[in-house]
Amino acid sequence: MFHAWYVEDKKTPAVFKEVSEDILQGDTLIKVHSSSINFKDALALHGRPGVIRNFPLIAGIDVTGEVVESEHENWKPGDMVTLNGAGLGENLHGGLAEMARVKGADLVAVPSAFTPAQASAIGTAGFTAQLAVTALEGNGLLPDEHPVLVTGAGGGAGSIAISLLAAAGYEVTAATGRVDKLGPQLRALGATEVIHRDEVAAARRPMDSTRWSAVVDGVGGEILAGAIAATDPDGAIASYGLAASSDLPTTVLPFILRGISLLGINSVQVSAGMRQLAWDRLAADLSPEHVDLITSTVSLDQAQDAAAALLEGKGTGRTVVQVS
Ligand SMILES: NC(=O)c1ccc[n+]([C@@H]2O[C@H](COP(=O)([O-])OP(=O)(O)OC[C@H]3O[C@@H](n4cnc5c(N)ncnc54)[C@H](OP(=O)(O)O)[C@@H]3O)[C@@H](O)[C@H]2O)c1
């Protein structure tokens, strides 16, 4: 038996209880070191719809821990591994638990640049931020006269995107709803300018004067539409989230008159090769000090309380759930 955040059905919040190891499936058994709280985890822990598709299920879309036993050729007992997405906490039992079973093919070794807790702090948020930066570079992004805009900058993925972009030599403008509170921290991560998100949403739509060479967006809605309106010709927007809205109130004009690309980022279904590449790049570019700067830590039984702030849009940086 082990402790886990267990979601019984689609109407009730998760409960912290003991469950049997027999319910776990997967070729690799992990003793969980830590997990984290992403927006999706906050929804699942508080019984909000839209994340979990199989009930009952253990919540948690991230897991980092030590391999106990594995039938996969890559892993042996004692290896420290991490996994983001791949169905965890959505249709497979997840990482907010003392034990987990996963598919060995999806696992990545915790890079030597990071401690296991830092790997959990990076988690899906950092993995997604890296996928977004890689997508923008694939679209031809180079350090340019205009900065890269990062929206939802105070959140987990936004904060890590700032650090990654600045480390890669891009000028970064951070857009947040909490300029006074978060300004110093966002500058410490590498943003050269911190603006209020309303300024982004206020752009004349569908097109305005251009300000951004590219955009990393985690909020959607009017902010995304405003960001698109001010993106340079042939620039791109990596869209990964909907913290504000799933709407996109714009027209096709920026796309067909400016050649702008909207690049969708899905961190859940990612090939093993792309997972490894993303983590290699995180290990090379993401400062562990920046990870620590944005991380707070709670124990496993405190995860549900800690998740409440994310649902109110008041989460800052990353929350690690320390398990063992
Ligand atoms: N596509 C994928 O694979 C993927 C992966 C990870 C996350 N996501 C999604 O991306 C989004 C962000 O994830 P996260 O883990 O970074 O969440 P988070 O830590 O909660 O950060 C979200 C940030 O968005 C901003 N925000 C919140 N509510 C807002 C509102 N009503 N209007 C405008 N801005 C608002 C806030 O930043 P400020 O206070 O700085 O304004 C907040 O800190 C979520 O929708 C999540 O589900 C998707």
Side-chain angles (χ1 to χ4, degrees):
M1 302 291 285
F2 64 96
H3 286 96
W5 280 101
Y6 197 69
V7 186
E8 306 269 3
D9 58 57
K10 66 171 86 169
K11 294 195 192 97
T12 45
V15 288
F16 189 56
K17 63 182 262 188
E18 274 197 312
V19 293
S20 165
E21 212 182 293
D22 298 344
I23 68 168
L24 299 179
Q25 289 179 323
D27 58 26
T28 302
L29 179 65
I30 293 173
K31 181 175 188 296
V32 179
H33 170 279
S34 47
S35 182
S36 78
I37 302 178
N38 297 276
F39 195 74
K40 279 183 183 172
D41 300 317
L43 292 172
L45 286 167
H46 285 270
R48 304 273 185 93
V51 178
I52 294 185
R53 292 195 288 279
N54 285 347
F55 296 91
L57 202 78
I58 296 172
I61 67 172
D62 288 332
V63 68
T64 300
E66 186 182 324
V67 173
V68 175
E69 61 184 36
S70 179
E71 289 162 22
H72 193 279
E73 58 186 359
N74 287 4
W75 311 112
K76 60 181 188 319
D79 287 343
M80 192 55 78
V81 292
T82 195
L83 177 57
N84 319 112
L88 286 192
E90 297 193 47
N91 50 26
L92 301 170
H93 289 303
L96 285 169
E98 291 168 330
M99 303 298 291
R101 261 193 187 279
V102 300
K103 288 183 201 153
D106 294 327
L107 288 168
V108 172
V110 172
S112 58
F114 303 123
T115 64
Q118 285 167 337
S120 281
I122 294 164
T124 285
F127 181 58
T128 303
Q130 181 59 66
L131 293 176
V133 172
T134 301
L136 293 177
E137 290 177 341
N139 192 68
L141 179 65
L142 293 169
D144 187 72
E145 65 181 39
H146 279 150
V148 179
L149 175 70
V150 176
T151 66
S159 294
I160 296 178
I162 292 168
S163 178
L164 288 171
L165 286 161
Y170 301 102
E171 193 181 334
V172 181
T173 296
T176 175
R178 299 173 283 177
V179 174
D180 292 341
K181 185 175 177 209
L182 298 182
Q185 178 165 310
L186 300 178
R187 283 195 180 82
L189 292 173
T192 47
E193 194 186 12
V194 179
I195 62 173
H196 197 279
R197 63 194 185 201
D198 290 350
E199 193 180 320
V200 179
R204 201 173 58 246
R205 278 180 262 147
M207 292 190 293
D208 203 341
S209 307
T210 62
R211 293 179 72 178
W212 321 120
S213 57
V215 181
V216 176
D217 178 68
V219 299
E222 305 219 328
I223 295 167
L224 173 56
I228 291 170
T231 297
D232 286 337
D234 297 324
I237 296 95
S239 160
Y240 68 86
L242 71 172
S245 172
S246 58
D247 289 347
L248 181 49
T250 186
T251 74
V252 297
L253 290 180
F255 306 109
I256 63 175
L257 295 183
R258 286 183 173 163
I260 287 167
S261 299
L262 187 59
L263 310 173
I265 306 299
N266 173 8
S267 66
V268 178
Q269 305 304 338
V270 181
S271 69
M274 270 304 290
R275 285 179 184 281
Q276 188 61 56
L277 279 175
W279 272 96
D280 288 348
R281 182 82 186 272
L282 284 161
D285 282 5
L286 184 59
S287 148
E289 289 76 26
H290 283 182
V291 177
D292 291 344
L293 180 69
I294 63 166
T295 300
S296 54
T297 303
V298 298
S299 58
L300 183 58
D301 60 336
Q302 294 171 327
Q304 195 171 45
D305 289 344
L310 264 77
L311 293 181
E312 292 165 17
K314 292 181 187 156
T316 302
R318 296 284 294 145
T319 304
V320 166
V321 178
Q322 188 75 42
V323 178
S324 64

